[in-house]
Amino acid sequence: MFKSLPIILSLALMGCSSTHDGKVRMPKPLQMEKPVYPYYAYKNHIEGKVKFVFDVDAEGKVSEMRIIESTPEHLFDDAVIRAVSKWRFEKGHPTKNIPLNVELRINHTLS
């Protein structure tokens, strides 16, 4: 039952334009796995947000990730870190300080 948990994951780029205006351009994503909703948060109907920045190396792997803010504090951090560590991007486009916001919400639709 828990494996089929419907969640809504919203990724919002905070700066996805070219570097000429000072913003970071994200390399082309090839694989972006969604975070696994934490059991405690699901059972208690807790939704949240995680704001972070990450770097992509020349091989297209996430080389570093820094959480800037999370609400509720730290509840979704591990789930987001695990998912982002599996993300893959087009090779040959290393990029630093790509900002993202992730919203984790429970989908309340009837099944």
Side-chain angles (χ1 to χ4, degrees), residues 86-100:
K86 297 175 185 174
W87 289 2
R88 296 297 177 260
F89 296 86
E90 187 174 47
K91 290 182 181 183
H93 300 282
T95 309
K96 292 196 177 287
N97 299 318
I98 302 167
L100 277 181

Side-chain angles (χ1 to χ4, degrees), residues 21 37-38 51 62 70 78-79 89-90 97 110:
D21 61 1
Y37 214 90
K51 179 179 178 179
V62 175
S70 61
D78 288 342
F89 296 86
E90 187 174 47
N97 299 318
L110 299 175

Side-chain angles (χ1 to χ4, degrees), residues 52-103:
F52 61 96
V53 295
F54 66 100
D55 302 340
V56 175
D57 65 18
E59 294 300 311
K61 296 178 182 178
V62 175
S63 60
E64 189 173 332
M65 178 184 165
R66 296 161 304 285
I67 293 181
I68 306 300
E69 180 182 341
S70 61
T71 308
E73 196 168 324
H74 307 300
L75 181 60
F76 295 101
D77 293 4
D78 288 342
V80 171
I81 290 168
R82 276 190 221 103
V84 172
S85 70
K86 297 175 185 174
W87 289 2
R88 296 297 177 260
F89 296 86
E90 187 174 47
K91 290 182 181 183
H93 300 282
T95 309
K96 292 196 177 287
N97 299 318
I98 302 167
L100 277 181
N101 287 332
V102 175
E103 291 186 25

Side-chain angles (χ1 to χ4, degrees), residues 1 4 9 15 20 22 29-30 44 62 88 91 96 103 111:
M1 178 182 106
S4 63
L9 174 67
H20 73 275
L30 302 176
N44 291 287
V62 175
R88 296 297 177 260
K91 290 182 181 183
K96 292 196 177 287
E103 291 186 25
S111 36

Side-chain angles (χ1 to χ4, degrees), residues 15 23 45 91 99:
K23 294 185 180 179
H45 306 284
K91 290 182 181 183

